[in-house]
Amino acid sequence: MSVPTTTRRRVLKALGVGGAASLAGCMTAPTANEVPSEPTEPSMNDTQSVDVDRIAADPTDVPDPIDRSSPRTIDVEFETTEVVAEVEPGVTYTYMTFDNQVPGPMLRVRKGDTVNFTVTNREENSMPHNIDLHAVRGPGGGAEASMVAPGETATFRFKATYPGAFVYHCAVPNLDYHISSGMFGLILVEPEEGLPSVDHEFYFGQNELYTTGEAGEEGHHDFDMEAMAAEEPTYVLMNGEKGAITGDGYGPETVSVGDTARVFFASGGPNLTSSFHPIGSVWEEVWPQGGIGSRPHENVQTTPVMPGSCTIATMRFEVPGPVKLVDHALSRVARKGFMGVIEAEGEANPEIFDPDPEPQSASA
């Protein structure tokens, strides 16, 4: 059921979320005490049973490239959820998501497309939610039009007027809490001429999780507002779980030697800038901040991705072995859980890399 804006305002006021600030986008984040359903006293409890077995988005779940030459009208439906899942074995947390995954589903449209966007807030949820898409020209990126209380649905329409890769995220009061808990993703607006073909496309997202326990401490972790205010995360995660896209999780992703890949990377934040780096390779092309309209940077070792921004980067796999995707603020890898792996399979190429070369005699 679609709910008129005036009705939604009355419902949200009853929930303790009122006034113009509750219907804004990125620029307003009222103080923590404005939403009564947030955690108030940090605590640790026994590990809880999970609602979903996997919260990490599948990096290969990328919409197909657009092969049409004219715009269309597209219908998109998202459901907001609050679900318990594992951050790592023995550690549970109550995530907030779009469609039960972190990051939320990748969207792919063409410049000129019209999008009918519907957001449903699951009835058993405890908080209001909405969506702010950085690809939208309009108040709050759609945040005001999509604000819904538990059990309610709202629809708005927008036209994709500029190409690029853009973050979307929940933008209610305490938006930093909601984004940290998983409510972010990426929308790609392809240029009219499309993108060059590659062999593979992958989709990754980074966020910080601020919890009441230490990393690896077994039990159910509640959210820690003070740690977030201090920007001291317990975890820094790729696709919402520690090591999700590695051999210890659901990975690694695999390619063949000689393949090319395009990586779409979204940083939800809410606070830290990522230093996105492929160990064992280089970004052959990078479009900073997802800016498709600009010329790509070439042969980039590490590219900064600010919170609330994206990057598009390509790479080529010349030799077999793992390429590790990391945040080169390396304590986030060694201590806080951020890493993904793409494994190249195929024949060795000792001309490019030889791990065990034969000794060479000194030239006369």
Side-chain angles (χ1 to χ4, degrees), residues 63-135:
D64 292 335
I66 293 174
D67 60 359
R68 50 187 165 83
S69 58
S70 60
R72 289 182 181 172
T73 297
I74 298 170
D75 295 324
V76 176
E77 296 184 10
F78 272 12
E79 182 180 57
T80 65
T81 68
E82 299 167 16
V83 291
V84 176
E86 284 192 322
V87 182
E88 60 176 308
V91 177
T92 56
Y93 178 75
T94 303
Y95 290 83
M96 290 183 267
T97 81
F98 295 103
D99 285 6
N100 283 346
Q101 66 176 67
V102 180
M106 179 176 161
L107 304 177
R108 193 171 201 153
V109 302
R110 179 186 181 275
K111 181 184 175 183
D113 284 351
T114 296
V115 181
N116 294 318
F117 206 109
T118 299
V119 179
T120 297
N121 191 345
R122 188 179 286 181
E123 187 172 4
E124 57 267 33
N125 289 345
S126 64
M127 286 174 271
H129 297 293
N130 65 1
I131 191 165
D132 168 0
L133 301 105
H134 294 184

Side-chain angles (χ1 to χ4, degrees), residues 316-356:
R316 183 182 304 274
F317 301 87
E318 301 281 8
V319 298
V323 174
K324 298 177 180 179
L325 306 181
V326 302
D327 182 334
H328 217 295
L330 289 173
S331 292
R332 300 173 190 174
V333 178
R335 315 291 174 193
K336 298 180 183 292
F338 186 90
M339 182 187 286
V341 179
I342 300 175
E343 183 83 21
E345 300 175 340
E347 294 185 7
N349 188 346
E351 183 176 336
I352 293 179
F353 179 75
D354 190 345
D356 189 21

Side-chain angles (χ1 to χ4, degrees), residues 172-183:
V172 298
N174 301 301
L175 74 173
D176 45 2
Y177 167 33
H178 289 229
I179 296 168
S180 175
S181 297
M183 297 195 81

